[in-house]
Amino acid sequence: MVDTTPDTTPLTGQGHGGGPAPQAMAGMQRLMDHFAGYFAVSVLGLGHRSGLLAALLEGGGTAEQIAARAGAHDRSAEEWLAALTAAGYVRHDQGSFSLVEGQDAVFRPGLLPFDVTVFLEFQEKFGGMIGQVATAMREGTGVPYSAYQPEFGRLQDRLNGPLYEQFLISDFVASAQGLVGRLEAGVDVADVGCGGGQALCLLAASFPASRFVGYDIDEGALSIAAARAAERGLGNVGLENRDAARLELDGVLDVVIAVDAIHDQGAPDEVLAAIARALRPGGVLLMVEPLASGELDVDAARPTALMGFATSLSHCVQVSLAAGGPGLGAMWGKSRALPMLRAAGFRTVTTHESPADYLVYAAYV
């Protein structure tokens, strides 16, 4: 005889007759919070792509009014606004919707050292890479840098602009003793992994007595950098397609800048050694990397840790592994960076924790 009694065992419980375990309930709440965050970001991304977010930033109103400003469909706008109301971004009052007080400032330039909408587009890009990254995670092959391009490079370029304007000179460069004065007097400077030239051109414009060259292996990025330098009329900027691990320079530079670049390399130890050889005695490498100690229990407690590790898994680790590297990842941290710098030939290293959530290393030969 078949027992047709329904199974009422709680999904998170102790068995028949027992309530859910507190640990299981806490685990379920944690998971639901993360699901909610994922869907909130997805909905914001849809609003950005459809124009509804920009329309909402222009002012509140009914779903029909906001949809009309965006050129969007009324019903979709209504559901989008309902989702953001549930997420806590939007306030609803008798059919009218508006951003909660202070929320609009987060979506506008100025408050944060980055454009929030660029992060929404990054999320979209990474979502499209899940299949390739998952395969690479199983097979250990990594995902080549070219697979992320050109979208990733363009997004990175847009993301870095406000960050550099706010922190590059006043914080990153100023943290290295005497570096501002040397740049003002005139020295030879290289930007390793210059990308689209945001940092390179800002430095060249700020220190016209110094001579700058940007190195990168991405021709598309170098084209953007060349256009940016030409647009600003910078005659003290040069650009070269050159592998950082094979600079083949000997004592010809005074300063090397490497922002968010070393951890992605296929041979980071060789890159650092090549930079050390390229510097004249007393020369300095200004290496800017995400703020991390390299100790998981310490770094995991930081508010930005989840974003850092997730981004690193989806991009930084994979790019390095695909190039035959160790896959340092963005969160490699101070405990691993300092020994590598010293092994590469840097005799003195100082560090500075930037309020931009970066760690700035000034390494001297």
Side-chain angles (χ1 to χ4, degrees), residues 330-345:
M331 303 295 284
W332 62 312
K334 190 175 180 179
S335 64
R336 283 186 281 182
L338 290 177
M340 287 185 66
L341 286 165
R342 294 189 179 110

Side-chain angles (χ1 to χ4, degrees), residues 54-250:
L56 183 60
L57 284 167
E58 292 178 18
T62 65
E64 292 79 7
Q65 291 169 335
I66 294 168
R69 289 201 295 268
H73 188 267
D74 292 357
R75 181 64 188 97
S76 293
E78 182 182 33
E79 202 74 356
W80 180 76
L81 289 161
L84 288 191
T85 301
Y89 289 106
V90 166
R91 179 176 55 249
H92 175 246
D93 183 18
Q94 297 182 346
S96 182
F97 298 88
S98 61
L99 285 164
V100 300
E101 186 177 357
Q103 190 64 60
D104 61 335
V106 175
F107 296 115
R108 299 183 192 278
L111 179 65
L112 300 174
F114 54 81
D115 184 342
V116 172
T117 61
V118 178
F119 269 110
L120 298 176
E121 292 179 35
F122 262 121
Q123 186 72 10
E124 181 182 327
K125 173 63 179 175
F126 285 141
M129 297 292 295
I130 286 177
Q132 290 185 65
V133 173
T135 299
M137 289 173 65
R138 289 192 300 270
E139 299 177 357
T141 55
V143 179
Y145 178 80
S146 60
Y148 296 87
Q149 303 307 323
E151 295 90 346
F152 187 92
R154 292 170 181 166
L155 289 170
Q156 193 74 46
D157 192 66
R158 288 169 53 202
L159 184 68
N160 287 340
L163 173 73
Y164 292 157
E165 289 286 346
Q166 188 170 342
F167 291 101
L168 178 63
I169 295 171
S170 65
D171 185 51
F172 297 170
V173 172
S175 70
Q177 187 174 9
L179 183 53
V180 170
R182 295 175 70 179
L183 290 167
E184 289 175 338
V187 289
D188 294 304
V189 185
D191 183 352
V192 172
C194 67
Q198 289 268 21
L200 181 68
C201 290
L202 182 56
L203 287 166
S206 301
F207 303 105
S210 288
R211 299 158 297 279
F212 295 84
V213 61
Y215 299 132
D216 209 290
I217 59 171
D218 185 342
E219 281 290 351
L222 288 171
S223 296
I224 293 172
R228 181 169 278 133
E231 181 182 355
R232 299 185 184 184
L234 298 172
N236 59 339
V237 172
L239 295 161
E240 294 183 28
N241 187 322
R242 190 184 287 253
D243 186 343
R246 297 170 178 81
L247 292 180
E248 298 178 356
L249 302 173
D250 188 12

Side-chain angles (χ1 to χ4, degrees), residues 237-281:
V237 172
L239 295 161
E240 294 183 28
N241 187 322
R242 190 184 287 253
D243 186 343
R246 297 170 178 81
L247 292 180
E248 298 178 356
L249 302 173
D250 188 12
V252 297
L253 298 170
D254 299 294
V255 180
V256 173
I257 308 285
V259 183
D260 227 356
I262 299 300
H263 65 262
D264 283 343
Q265 302 297 318
D269 52 346
E270 294 179 21
V271 171
L272 292 175
I275 291 172
R277 288 192 299 271
L279 287 166
R280 297 183 176 111

Side-chain angles (χ1 to χ4, degrees), residues 292-293 295-306 309 331:
S293 69
E295 303 296 332
L296 177 57
D297 292 338
V298 174
D299 295 331
R302 295 183 56 79
T304 56
L306 176 57
F309 283 114
M331 303 295 284

